[in-house]
Amino acid sequence: MALLDQQGRPVPDAWHTVADGAPVPADRPAIVPLSRLAAERDDLAARTAPLGVKLGTGELAEHVAPYLGLVSLVAVEFAKFRDGRGFSTARELRERHGFAGEIRALGHTLPDQYRFLLRCGFTTVAIPDDRDAAAWTAALGRIAIAYQRAADEAAPVSLLRRRLAGVGVS
């Protein structure tokens, strides 16, 4: 899978995704399922390498909140591109739980959703190798305005309009 950052650039992936039951490497960053993190919390916390957690479909921010102090990456899986729970999960991780680490989108997402993923708090997006990364990068330039506040720094169009008019906004 190709991994894209917030500017649409390919970035190397140092993380190793560990399947249930497989040994967790002690010397490199590892992503484990939430169920495994819950079951092996103490052992995984004792590792010296960074730890990440993968949230499956239906696992929400509140489910991983007790473990956020142990992880530096949360990977959120999208089972279908039309399932919006992953967007809400990322935004809750940022705004409600104050998670400042990497949030990675996995699974079924579309280039047209890229800007929205970033606005909700995702920092990287994993795309299948058979997909054209250039289409994802191009999608970032298609929508340049925002209509409402989000987890990113983009100013909503209503605020920009008031700034241009010089009305009560500094």
Side-chain angles (χ1 to χ4, degrees):
M1 289 209 159
L3 189 62
L4 301 177
D5 68 7
Q6 293 171 307
Q7 287 75 42
R9 298 178 300 226
V11 293
D13 187 2
W15 292 86
H16 174 70
T17 301
V18 180
D20 269 336
V24 179
D27 59 343
R28 66 186 278 205
I31 302 171
V32 298
L34 179 59
S35 59
R36 186 160 184 183
L37 178 58
E40 301 174 27
R41 177 184 187 142
D42 294 336
D43 291 338
L44 293 171
R47 297 175 67 249
T48 56
L51 182 64
V53 62
K54 178 183 174 187
L55 300 182
T57 304
E59 293 177 324
L60 306 174
E62 65 190 45
H63 300 140
V64 74
Y67 309 103
L68 290 177
L70 303 175
V71 300
S72 51
L73 176 143
V74 177
V76 179
E77 184 175 30
F78 287 80
K80 301 277 186 200
F81 72 88
R82 63 181 178 251
D83 184 354
R85 290 177 289 184
F87 292 95
S88 299
T89 297
R91 190 148 182 197
E92 286 180 21
L93 286 169
R94 295 281 186 227
E95 295 177 1
R96 184 175 297 164
H97 301 289
F99 184 69
E102 179 180 347
I103 302 178
R104 179 178 295 184
L106 301 172
H108 294 274
T109 56
L110 302 172
D112 292 347
Q113 296 172 322
Y114 195 7
R115 170 80 59 200
F116 303 114
L117 289 164
L118 299 176
R119 293 206 71 229
C120 288
F122 285 94
T123 50
T124 55
V125 178
I127 62 170
D129 290 329
D130 64 341
R131 301 292 167 85
D132 181 16
W136 288 78
T137 303
L140 287 178
R142 285 192 200 121
I143 301 171
I145 60 171
Y147 288 100
Q148 56 210 175
R149 292 187 186 270
D152 68 356
E153 298 296 320
V157 104
S158 61
L159 183 59
L160 293 174
R161 189 178 308 123
R162 288 188 300 213
R163 280 189 183 147
L164 290 173
V167 178
V169 178
S170 53

